[in-house]
Structures are given as structure tokens and as C-alpha cells.
């Protein structure tokens, strides 16, 4: 039992649902359509109501092994099969397998005579036979207006609609009914939405010459659901709904570090680069080497044997490869090796949602480790800021969920540089924000780079000057002048000044060393003279001491001779002459 569930509580059964298999629709309906109940899909012409119904049946057959019945009142079986062939749906093949039954019912108002006894009993028999013949679990009725066009009496119409929906519920099949939108109402009759258990509204609007299809769950009895409007696309693979709420903030994170491709820039991060799976934004004015930074990152990813997907909205692949080769970045080798894939197109080629689905499709096909989009600011030309932000939010979340490192570049105008804002308003969504700017001096223009934020790691707060060389981007060492960090000619002047000061200091130290050596030799000479003089004095004193000592010894000897009882007579003959023989 879960810890947050009180003891003794009763777990109530949830409303059973049938998954549609349509990308994104099951997420905003929180599991699919109500199982065994009718769902109404309404909208104006061109919204894709029929396509949604057919895809609901085809996905049910292919993914969930649930046979289905398509009863059409406007198009024949051959016309329907031809219309969806481009989407990869083989209706005749599914019919041959006894998994799909397509029945075209022709209703002509001129042939209908309104009487008190007229009803839909014949339709029920025909539909019931189609369901029982293949054991269908899913049913699509397209469209209901054609069926009720012969009922001008509102009382009879309401009764028959209610009876149809009740019959479908009793049959236990999950039904999707399409209906045309009315004036001020969801449907032309204004009745179907009230008796349906689930109502899905499709809308096709044109804003600033850009067509956008949107989907909204109007009601869903017995279940919670997404209540916003969600853009959707009709692609080569069917309908794709990509809601913001479907991507929750639940994804794995990594402690691995990915290099930016510029060694000096890596040194500005506390851990030597970006976190793997994070999102990085590089903003700056025109000509500040945003694309070069992005290409350096892509090249580094490829050097590590990983895959990188590069979406270019301003340059063709050939132009991008040529331009980067001039600064020492060989993208051609990466493309030839399969590590790099460049997708180039103008933003105005498709709407925002089409771009998003295209990106999703290419990512699913190529499975890259990193994605570069250069620049995202061009997307503003095909949508307003709110729509671009919504699109980029979903894209960033999608990349995070899949653990893909993303790098975006964005062009900002001069008025926004000081405000440190991006027109798309996505700076708060990314994990790392790098800004490149013009450092204008007296008669020159230089480039500077700084890190505005880096979630989860320390980073430098300096504005580093960098240059684009034949070997890529090189960050220059910080030079501090009297008024702070200097760049360009002032930087060179400051360096020359510092070198001159260093040279003068070395020369002064050498002069002092020579002066010290001269003084040392002079002192050594003086010490030698003093030592010689000292030795002379020492020798004289030693001589004096020796003489004094001899004198003292002589005196002592003399005293001893005087004090002796037999003093020696030096001149005595007896002492000098030998004793005679007697």
C-alpha cells in the first residue's frame, strides 16, 4: 500500500479507456478515448476529422489488434483508400485480412419522405451486421450530418440522435463520430455534443498567412484531461499532437561533461564544459561568431565518435562547411564519416509546428547525442513570440527527456543586448546562457564573451575577448589597464607598456646587480688589504711576544743562578781548568 494512501481507503475503479495510438492524443486524454462509449470529433472543413477517424481504426488494428468498422456517408471505400494511401494506410489490405470493414451508405434527402414511422432501424441492422461480421471493437461514423440531413423536425432529430448514441453504448464498441461545425455551436445540429461522452474540437485557423491546426478536448465525462489548445499536424505518418503538458519535468540527469569545443571557454566553467543532456543558449548581435561557436561544439562532439544533428536556418550545408573550413573547423569530414548531419531550410518553409514535428522525426531517425539549432531567432518570422516560446519549450523538454545535449544560437538586437533578454524569451528555460557581444573601442570593434548563467556549476564572471583565427576560436588572456579590463588596440598598447615596464625593470635589476658586484669586489679588495695589514701587525706582535718571552726566561734563569748556594763562577780558574794529579 502506498505510504500516502490512508489505511482502510477504497481504491475506486478508473474509467476504462481505449488508446488511439495517435501521437500525443493519448497523453492529453490521459489514456485514450472512453472505452465502449461514443466520442464526437467536430470541426470545420480541412481539419482532418475523417483522417483522425481512419487513423483511430488503423492504429487500433495494427497496434492493439482491435478490428474496426468505418461507415462513411460522403466518400466511397475506394475514395477513402486512395486518400490515405499517402499516409501509409493500406485499407484494402486490412479489409482482406478481415480486420477492417468499410461500408459506404448513400443518403439522399430527395429520397426520404418524412413520416411518423421513419427511423434509423435499417442503419442499426446494417451497422450491427458489419460489427458482428469481424468482431469489431471500434467504429467510425463519418459524417453524422449526412445521416440526419433528412430530419427537419427537431423533435424527431433529437430522439434519433439519442437513440443512435444509446445503441452504440449498448453494443459496447468504442465509437468515433465526426461532425461539421455549426454557426455558434460545435455541430450543425447543436445536439450531438450534449449526448457524447467525449467531445474533441478541431480548428484550422490562419494568422499572418500561416495556417495552424489546433485541438481541444471540450469535455470528457468521467475523466480528467488537458484543457488547453494543442497544435497538431497532419504529416506523412498521420496526425501528430505535441502538447506542452505531455512532457513533464521528469527526466534523468547526468554528471558527465561535454566540451564546448573551445578550450578557453571550457576553462571558464567550473567543471570544464557543459553537463551532458543540458541545454545551452548562445546569444549575440550579428557578426559575433555565434555560428562558429556552434560549429566548434558540433565538431568536438564528432571528434569523440558521437552523433550531432545541425539544423541551419540561414546557410546551406555547402556554405556552412566552406565557411567553417576557413577557420579550421572541418565539418566536411564529420559529414562524410556519418557523425554529423546538417538539415538546412528557411524558417518560412513551414509553420512552427511543422518545424517541431520535423525535428522530432529527424531526431527519432538519426538518434543524435547532440542537437544544434542555428538560429532560433529566425523562427519569429513564422510565429509570434508566445508561439515560438511554446514551441521551444516543448523542444527543450523533449531533448532533455531523451538525454540529448542541445545548443541554440539566437540573434539579439542592439537594444536588447544591455537588457540581456532574448526575443524568444527562452533564456530562463536553458541551463547555460552564453552571450557574445561587440566590444567597441576607439576606431575598432572587438568580440567579447561572457557566461551569464550555468546551472549546477561555478563559472567565470569575466568578459573575455576572443578572436577567430585559422585554427578556430581563441580566447585571449585577460589584460587589466588603469580603468579595468582592456581590449583591442588598448589591449596591445597595455601589453606593450607592460612589456616595456618589465624590460626597464629587468635592466634596472641588472644594473643593480652590476653595481653590487663592483661593491663586492671593492669590499673584497679592502678586506684583503686589511687582512694583509692585520697579518703584519700580527707578525710584529708575535715577534714582540717571542722576545718578551725570551727575556723573561733569561731573567728567571738569572734569578735561579743568583739564588743557588754554589753560584757558578764563570771566570773562576777552578771552573775552567782541569784538576791536577797529586
Amino acid at each position: 500500500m502506498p505510504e500516502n494512501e490512508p489505511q482502510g481507503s477504497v481504491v475506486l475503479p478508473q474509467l476504462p479507456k481505449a488508446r488511439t495510438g495517435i501521437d500525443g492524443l493519448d497523453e492529453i486524454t490521459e489514456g485514450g478515448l472512453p472505452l465502449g462509449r461514443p466520442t464526437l470529433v467536430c470541426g470545420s472543413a480541412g481539419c482532418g476529422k475523417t483522417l483522425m477517424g481512419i487513423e483511430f481504426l488503423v492504429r487500433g488494428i495494427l497496434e492493439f489488434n482491435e478490428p474496426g468498422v468505418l461507415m462513411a456517408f460522403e466518400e466511397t471505400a475506394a475514395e477513402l483508400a486512395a486518400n490515405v494511401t499517402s499516409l501509409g494506410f493500406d485499407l484494402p489490405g486490412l479489409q482482406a485480412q478481415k480486420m477492417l470493414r468499410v461500408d459506404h451508405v448513400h443518403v439522399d434527402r430527395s429520397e426520404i419522405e418524412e413520416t411518423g414511422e421513419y427511423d434509423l432501424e435499417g442503419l442499426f441492422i446494417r451497422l450491427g451486421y458489419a460489427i458482428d461480421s469481424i468482431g469489431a471493437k471500434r467504429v467510425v461514423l463519418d459524417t453524422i450530418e449526412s445521416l440526419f440531413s433528412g430530419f427537419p423536425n427537431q423533435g424527431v432529430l433529437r430522439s434519433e440522435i439519442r437513440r443512435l448514441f444509446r445503441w452504440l453504448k449498448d453494443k459496447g464498441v468504442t465509437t468515433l463520430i465526426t461532425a461539421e461545425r455549426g454557426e455558434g455551436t460545435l455541430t450543425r445540429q447543436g445536439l450531438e455534443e450534449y449526448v457524447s461522452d467525449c467531445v474533441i474540437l478541431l480548428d484550422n485557423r490562419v494568422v499572418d498567412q500561416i495556417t495552424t491546426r489546433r485541438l481541444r478536448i471540450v469535455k470528457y465525462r468521467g475523466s480528467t484531461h488537458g484543457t488547453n489548445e494543442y497544435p497538431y499536424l497532419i504529416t506523412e505518418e498521420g496526425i501528430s499532437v505535441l502538447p506542452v503538458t505531455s512532457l513533464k519535468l521528469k527526466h534523468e540527469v547526468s554528471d558527465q561533461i561535454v566540451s564546448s569545443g573551445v578550450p578557453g571557454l571550457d576553462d571558464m566553467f567550473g567543471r570544464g564544459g557543459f553537463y551532458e543532456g543540458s541545454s545551452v543558449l548562445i546569444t549575440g548581435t550579428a557578426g559575433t561568431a555565434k555560428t562558429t561557436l556552434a560549429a566548434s561544439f558540433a565538431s568536438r562532439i564528432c571528434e569523440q565518435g558521437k552523433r550531432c544533428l545541425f539544423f541551419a536556418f540561414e546557410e546551406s550545408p555547402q556554405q556552412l562547411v566552406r565557411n567553417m573550413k576557413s577557420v579550421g573547423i572541418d565539418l566536411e569530414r564529420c559529414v562524410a564519416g556519418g557523425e554529423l548531419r546538417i538539415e538546412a531550410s528557411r524558417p518560412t518553409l513551414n509553420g512552427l509546428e511543422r518545424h517541431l514535428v520535423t525535428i522530432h522525426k529527424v531526431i527519432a531517425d538519426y538518434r543524435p547525442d547532440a542537437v544544434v539549432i542555428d538560429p532560433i531567432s529566425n523562427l519569429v518570422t513564422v510565429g509570434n513570440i508566445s508561439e515560438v516560446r511554446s514551441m521551444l519549450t516543448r523542444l527543450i523538454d523533449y531533448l532533455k527527456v531523451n538525454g540529448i545535449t542541445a545548443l541554440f544560437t539566437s540573434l539579439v538586437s542592439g537594444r536588447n543586448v544591455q537588457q540581456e533578454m532574448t526575443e524568444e524569451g527562452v533564456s530562463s528555460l536553458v541551463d547555460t546562457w552564453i552571450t557574445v557581444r561587440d566590444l567597441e573601442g576607439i576606431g575598432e570593434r572587438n568580440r567579447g564573451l561572457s557566461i551569464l548563467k550555468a546551472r549546477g556549476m561555478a563559472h567565470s564572471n569575466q568578459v573575455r575577448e576572443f578572436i577567430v583565427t585559422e585554427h578556430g576560436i581563441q580566447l585571449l588572456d585577460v589584460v587589466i589597464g588603469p580603468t579595468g579590463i582592456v581590449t583591442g588596440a588598448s589591449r596591445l598598447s597595455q601589453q606593450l607598456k607592460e612589456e616595456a615596464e618589465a624590460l626597464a625593470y629587468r635592466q634596472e635589476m641588472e644594473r643593480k646587480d652590476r653595481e653590487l658586484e663592483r661593491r663586492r669586489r671593492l669590499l673584497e679588495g679592502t678586506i684583503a688589504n686589511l687582512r694583509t695589514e692585520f697579518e703584519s701587525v700580527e707578525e710584529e706582535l708575535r715577534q714582540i711576544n717571542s722576545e718578551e718571552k725570551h727575556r723573561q726566561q733569561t731573567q728567571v734563569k738569572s734569578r735561579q743562578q743568583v739564588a743557588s748556594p754554589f753560584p757558578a763562577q764563570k771566570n773562576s780558574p777552578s771552573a775552567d781548568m782541569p784538576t791536577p794529579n797529586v
Side-chain angles (χ1 to χ4, degrees), residues 53-164:
I54 294 177
E55 186 169 358
F56 170 69
L57 294 178
V58 173
R59 300 294 182 193
I61 295 171
L62 300 178
E63 299 180 14
F64 310 109
N65 196 30
E66 294 183 358
V69 171
L70 171 60
M71 183 164 284
F73 302 102
E74 292 183 346
E75 298 177 277
T76 64
E79 292 172 342
L80 290 171
N83 293 342
V84 298
T85 299
S86 60
L87 304 178
F89 298 158
D90 184 11
L91 298 188
L94 297 177
Q95 293 181 74
Q97 299 174 18
K98 305 297 183 183
M99 296 296 292
L100 176 66
R101 183 73 180 266
V102 180
D103 194 358
H104 172 64
V105 178
H106 177 68
V107 179
D108 192 345
R109 182 173 182 177
S110 63
E111 299 175 359
I112 298 177
E113 181 180 356
E114 182 182 357
T115 65
E117 298 177 355
Y118 180 80
D119 55 26
L120 299 177
E121 194 63 34
L123 175 67
F124 296 158
I125 296 174
R126 188 167 179 174
L127 183 57
Y129 172 77
I131 293 173
D132 297 336
S133 63
I134 60 173
K137 301 295 183 181
R138 304 185 178 202
V139 173
V140 171
L141 302 180
D142 181 51
T143 64
I144 199 171
E145 278 75 22
S146 299
L147 182 63
F148 292 113
S149 60
F151 290 91
N153 188 304
Q154 290 293 322
V156 177
L157 176 62
R158 180 182 293 270
S159 175
E160 289 303 305
I161 289 177
R162 289 184 180 275
R163 194 158 76 95
L164 172 62

Side-chain angles (χ1 to χ4, degrees), residues 339-372:
E339 295 90 2
L340 178 64
R341 180 172 176 178
I342 303 176
E343 295 287 332
S345 65
R346 287 293 183 187
T348 52
L349 178 65
N350 299 304
L352 287 175
E353 303 307 321
R354 181 70 179 183
H355 279 298
L356 182 59
V357 172
T358 300
I359 292 173
H360 278 231
K361 183 179 178 180
V362 176
I363 290 175
D365 176 62
Y366 188 62
R367 298 185 180 277
D369 299 286
V371 170
V372 176

Side-chain angles (χ1 to χ4, degrees), residues 244-383:
V244 176
T245 55
S246 65
L247 297 174
K248 300 180 180 179
L249 294 177
K250 294 181 180 179
H251 54 267
E252 299 294 331
V253 296
S254 173
D255 290 330
Q256 299 297 318
I257 298 299
V258 178
S259 172
S260 65
V262 180
L265 179 56
D266 290 341
D267 294 338
M268 296 180 68
F269 290 94
R271 299 200 60 184
F274 316 133
Y275 280 120
E276 187 178 72
S278 63
S279 54
V280 182
L281 176 65
I282 300 177
T283 61
T285 54
T288 50
K290 299 183 297 298
T291 302
T292 306
L293 286 168
S296 299
F297 169 74
S299 177
R300 181 58 178 166
I301 291 294
C302 298
E303 289 176 0
Q304 297 175 348
K306 299 180 180 179
R307 290 186 171 187
C308 181
L309 184 59
F310 199 113
F311 290 95
F313 291 145
E314 290 183 338
E315 299 176 276
S316 66
Q318 295 79 7
Q319 183 180 0
L320 180 63
V321 169
R322 182 203 65 187
N323 294 347
M324 292 303 104
K325 184 177 294 185
S326 66
V327 294
I329 302 175
D330 189 4
L331 297 183
E332 186 175 8
R333 176 181 54 82
C334 300
V335 173
E339 295 90 2
L340 178 64
R341 180 172 176 178
I342 303 176
E343 295 287 332
S345 65
R346 287 293 183 187
T348 52
L349 178 65
N350 299 304
L352 287 175
E353 303 307 321
R354 181 70 179 183
H355 279 298
L356 182 59
V357 172
T358 300
I359 292 173
H360 278 231
K361 183 179 178 180
V362 176
I363 290 175
D365 176 62
Y366 188 62
R367 298 185 180 277
D369 299 286
V371 170
V372 176
I373 299 182
D374 175 50
I376 58 174
S377 49
N378 281 20
L379 296 174
V380 178
T381 59
V382 290

Side-chain angles (χ1 to χ4, degrees), residues 22-23 41 44-55 59 83-89 202-204 211-215 230-242 350-358 361:
I22 298 176
D23 186 20
V41 177
S44 56
C47 290
K49 301 183 296 296
T50 302
L51 176 59
M52 178 172 287
I54 294 177
E55 186 169 358
R59 300 294 182 193
N83 293 342
V84 298
T85 299
S86 60
L87 304 178
F89 298 158
L202 305 182
D203 184 28
N204 188 13
T211 300
T212 305
R213 294 185 173 92
R214 298 185 180 272
L215 178 148
Y230 305 100
Y232 68 96
L233 285 179
I234 299 177
T235 68
E236 296 82 358
E237 299 177 356
I239 293 178
S240 178
V241 185
L242 299 172
N350 299 304
L352 287 175
E353 303 307 321
R354 181 70 179 183
H355 279 298
L356 182 59
V357 172
T358 300
K361 183 179 178 180

Side-chain angles (χ1 to χ4, degrees), residues 14-20 25-26 28-41 56 66 137-139 165 168-169 171-177 195-200 217-225:
Q14 300 295 321
L15 179 70
K17 297 183 178 182
R19 296 181 60 188
T20 64
L25 183 58
D26 290 336
I28 62 176
T29 56
E30 299 185 4
L33 304 181
L35 182 66
R37 298 186 182 187
T39 296
L40 180 67
V41 177
F56 170 69
E66 294 183 358
K137 301 295 183 181
R138 304 185 178 202
V139 173
F165 279 66
L168 293 170
K169 285 186 178 182
K171 197 67 177 176
V173 292
T174 305
T175 308
L176 193 150
I177 303 172
V195 295
S196 300
D197 289 85
C198 178
V199 178
I200 300 176
I217 308 297
V218 178
K219 78 172 186 178
Y220 198 139
R221 289 173 179 166
S223 173
T224 57
H225 57 87

